Amino acid sequence: MDNPSKIIEGGIEYTLGKFDGKSVLYDFDKILIYLNAKGKLLFGDHFRIYTEDENIIRKLCHYFIKDKENCQKNDIDPEKGILLTGPVGCGKTSLIKLLKNLVPLQRPYLFAPCRNIVFGFNHLGYKIIEDYGDSSPICFDDLGVEPIGRHYGKDCNVMGEVLLSRYDLFLKTKSKIKTHATTNLNAEELEERYGNRVRSRMRELFNLIAFDENTNDKRK
């Protein structure tokens, strides 16, 4: 791709800003036009960007395009992953799936629902924790509401173990392999679910970006 400020989707070229040959000066209004169009292609014609969500989307955009100045203003560390929290139906999963398309030159992350990882553990055991604990960049969807894993009669807090492994990976690779996650739970609920040790590692793994708890359920 010669010009990273332009993306072609469905035969239409979208301009995200100005490219000076070295870097892109992004235009947020143009980014929103592109995200709206890409969202409809990914999720159907009912998809739209809500005005009330633009502040969250702006922060996510700053993170993904690596806008250091705005990341600093919002206390976002571009070296860490994103933990996107908010009530059921606020659009977390759609946004985290959508935003990676903004930077096609960056290494894409896999997308893994946490309950599927637990089901995999129930069948295959600890190999699943190794697979997800040491792999590509990844986004864990719906963290904290997955069931407890059970393999050969032994219970295991599967995602807690996976997060500890991802933390070790983060230290080893000096943040080159990112971990992202979406969750409906708040910090206290996450600590209750995974314990203090995992929660403290999560603080080092993730930037917390949170929807307002009164955000409407967009699936209704």
Side-chain angles (χ1 to χ4, degrees), residues 131-149:
D131 289 349
Y132 283 100
D134 191 5
S135 63
S136 310
I138 198 162
C139 178
F140 298 118
D141 189 39
D142 251 353
L143 183 68
V145 293
E146 74 282 351
I148 286 288

Side-chain angles (χ1 to χ4, degrees), residues 16 60 120-121 123 130-131 138-139 148 157 167 194 202 217:
L16 306 179
L60 288 168
F121 172 86
H123 288 290
E130 286 172 30
D131 289 349
I138 198 162
C139 178
I148 286 288
N157 190 330
Y167 174 74
Y194 297 114
M202 286 175 75
D217 186 340

Side-chain angles (χ1 to χ4, degrees), residues 21 23 25 29 31 36 45 56 62 69 80 83 101-102 107 125-126 144 150 156 159 161-162 169 174 178 180 182:
S23 59
L25 182 64
D29 291 332
I31 285 175
N36 234 331
D45 286 340
I56 290 272
H62 292 154
E69 190 181 325
K80 295 181 181 181
L83 177 64
N101 295 284
L102 195 57
R107 189 177 174 190
Y126 287 87
R150 194 168 179 82
C156 176
M159 288 310 304
E161 293 299 324
V162 169
L169 181 70
K174 293 197 167 50
K178 298 275 200 311
H180 307 297
T182 71

Side-chain angles (χ1 to χ4, degrees), residues 38-183:
K38 181 64 175 176
K40 287 186 192 313
L41 287 173
L42 286 175
F43 310 117
D45 286 340
H46 64 280
F47 178 86
R48 68 185 176 94
I49 300 282
Y50 290 81
T51 308
E52 72 213 48
D53 297 340
E54 284 184 12
N55 189 36
I56 290 272
I57 294 167
R58 195 182 286 268
K59 285 181 185 176
L60 288 168
C61 287
H62 292 154
Y63 172 82
F64 281 105
I65 65 177
K66 298 191 165 135
D67 180 337
K68 286 183 182 167
E69 190 181 325
N70 278 306
C71 280
Q72 204 169 3
K73 274 184 201 165
N74 289 295
D75 202 22
I76 293 169
D77 182 347
E79 301 300 317
K80 295 181 181 181
I82 292 288
L83 177 64
L84 189 58
T85 75
V88 172
C90 68
K92 301 180 295 294
T93 299
S94 300
L95 279 183
I96 208 91
K97 281 181 173 176
L98 179 60
L99 263 292
K100 67 178 178 182
N101 295 284
L102 195 57
V103 281
L105 296 181
Q106 286 182 27
R107 189 177 174 190
Y109 43 85
L110 302 170
F111 195 80
C114 293
R115 62 197 303 266
N116 292 6
I117 297 172
V118 174
F119 293 151
F121 172 86
N122 294 347
H123 288 290
L124 300 169
Y126 287 87
K127 180 183 182 303
I128 284 288
I129 292 171
E130 286 172 30
D131 289 349
Y132 283 100
D134 191 5
S135 63
S136 310
I138 198 162
C139 178
F140 298 118
D141 189 39
D142 251 353
L143 183 68
V145 293
E146 74 282 351
I148 286 288
R150 194 168 179 82
H151 186 66
Y152 283 118
K154 284 191 174 175
D155 285 353
C156 176
N157 190 330
V158 177
M159 288 310 304
E161 293 299 324
V162 169
L163 288 170
L164 289 173
S165 297
R166 296 295 298 187
Y167 174 74
D168 290 342
L169 181 70
F170 175 75
L171 293 184
K172 257 190 268 176
T173 61
K174 293 197 167 50
S175 79
K176 287 186 178 63
I177 299 182
K178 298 275 200 311
T179 304
H180 307 297
T182 71
T183 183

